[in-house]
Amino acid sequence: MKTSIITEFVKFRVLNAITEEQLIIKADALNDFQAQQEGFIDAELVRDIQDDKSWSLVYHFEDLDKVKAIGAKLRSSQVFTDFTSLAEPGSLSVGMNQQYRNW
């Protein structure tokens, strides 16, 4: 059976008072949580080249059903609350994409 890799893009802006070190600590905790879930493949944290307050988390998961299960667990966790407290209100956006082709 062929897997259908899902890429999740989580974009956000950190509050002005948040340091890079604070963000990395919370992102590490979030990623530790995600990595323990069935279907997680990998993740990365990236920063916008032109705006040092704009960041994205990029996740890869085995399939959409597993993403949904992980999301339900994550949204009810303290690690999620802690992480989202760093973001400017209204700045968090999530996009899901299904792998179409890879080389």
Side-chain angles (χ1 to χ4, degrees), residues 6 8 22 37 42-43 68-69 72 76 78 88-89:
I6 300 297
E8 178 182 31
Q22 290 170 311
Q37 307 307 310
D42 63 19
K68 290 177 182 178
S76 65
Q78 185 62 46
E88 288 181 0

Side-chain angles (χ1 to χ4, degrees), residues 57-73:
L57 289 163
V58 181
Y59 290 105
H60 293 107
F61 300 98
E62 291 176 4
D63 62 51
L64 189 57
D65 289 336
K66 291 180 180 172
V67 172
K68 290 177 182 178
I70 292 169
K73 288 181 188 177

Side-chain angles (χ1 to χ4, degrees), residues 28-29 31 40 42 57 85 94 99 101:
D28 284 347
N31 288 324
F40 173 87
D42 63 19
L57 289 163
S85 71
V94 178
Q99 186 180 74
R101 185 175 188 173

Side-chain angles (χ1 to χ4, degrees), residues 10-59:
V10 180
K11 296 180 179 185
F12 59 95
R13 285 185 51 80
V14 293
L15 296 165
N16 285 331
I18 301 302
T19 66
E20 188 175 307
E21 181 181 359
Q22 290 170 311
L23 173 61
I24 290 171
I25 289 168
K26 298 296 184 193
D28 284 347
L30 183 67
N31 288 324
D32 288 346
F33 177 91
Q34 297 268 53
Q36 295 174 20
Q37 307 307 310
E38 182 182 351
F40 173 87
I41 297 173
D42 63 19
E44 60 184 288
L45 175 66
V46 296
R47 182 171 50 192
D48 188 297
I49 292 173
Q50 298 175 352
D51 179 2
D52 66 355
K53 292 295 180 181
S54 292
W55 294 79
S56 295
L57 289 163
V58 181
Y59 290 105

